[in-house]
Amino acid sequence: MLKKILSISGKPGLYKLVSYGKNMIIVENLSEKKRIPAYTRDKIVSLGDIAIYTYGEEVPLAKVFTTVYEKHEGKAIDAKQYTTPESLQAFMTEALPDYDQERVYNNDIKKIISWYNLLLAAGYTKFEEEAEEAAEGEEAK
């Protein structure tokens, strides 16, 4: 599911991939449902490609979202609670206890909170579904 959700540098919010065009893609803002073109010069990152550094292996963002979803019982996070560096680090320790504190910055944690809330508001609650379906499809072959 997160493979089709995109973050575009310089544009606020998250976007859903709608279609491909020549030298661009068409994306839809998750909150406003407004479609716009995103060009090849824009820095576009799929949330499915993002992983969080830990002291062991990198953990996919989908797993972090799933953990946060379970710990907060499917409710949105009040971002106003997490304004200090200490509170942001406490949030991340709760979501991913062995995250690498030197390589995961406070701005990254703020993005995780913001993206999580945007996904919930847009109706996304299953973050790892696509990976599980792909694994099941390969097993069936």
Side-chain angles (χ1 to χ4, degrees), residues 17-88:
L17 176 64
V18 175
S19 176
Y20 295 95
K22 186 175 181 177
N23 295 328
M24 69 173 178
I25 58 174
I26 305 298
V27 295
E28 181 178 87
N29 187 305
L30 286 184
S31 57
E32 300 170 0
K33 305 293 185 202
K34 183 179 176 186
R35 292 184 178 189
I36 60 168
Y39 298 95
T40 53
R41 68 178 176 269
D42 296 327
K43 183 178 178 187
I44 302 169
V45 179
S46 167
L47 295 191
D49 295 336
I50 297 175
I52 306 299
Y53 294 116
T54 66
Y55 293 114
E57 296 181 356
E58 294 179 354
V59 175
L61 186 59
K63 281 193 173 197
V64 176
F65 283 155
T66 301
T67 304
V68 171
Y69 183 79
E70 291 168 359
K71 291 199 183 269
H72 289 271
E73 300 172 349
K75 297 177 184 165
I77 300 169
D78 183 12
K80 294 177 184 174
Q81 293 181 30
Y82 303 104
T83 54
T84 65
E86 295 80 19
S87 62
L88 289 169

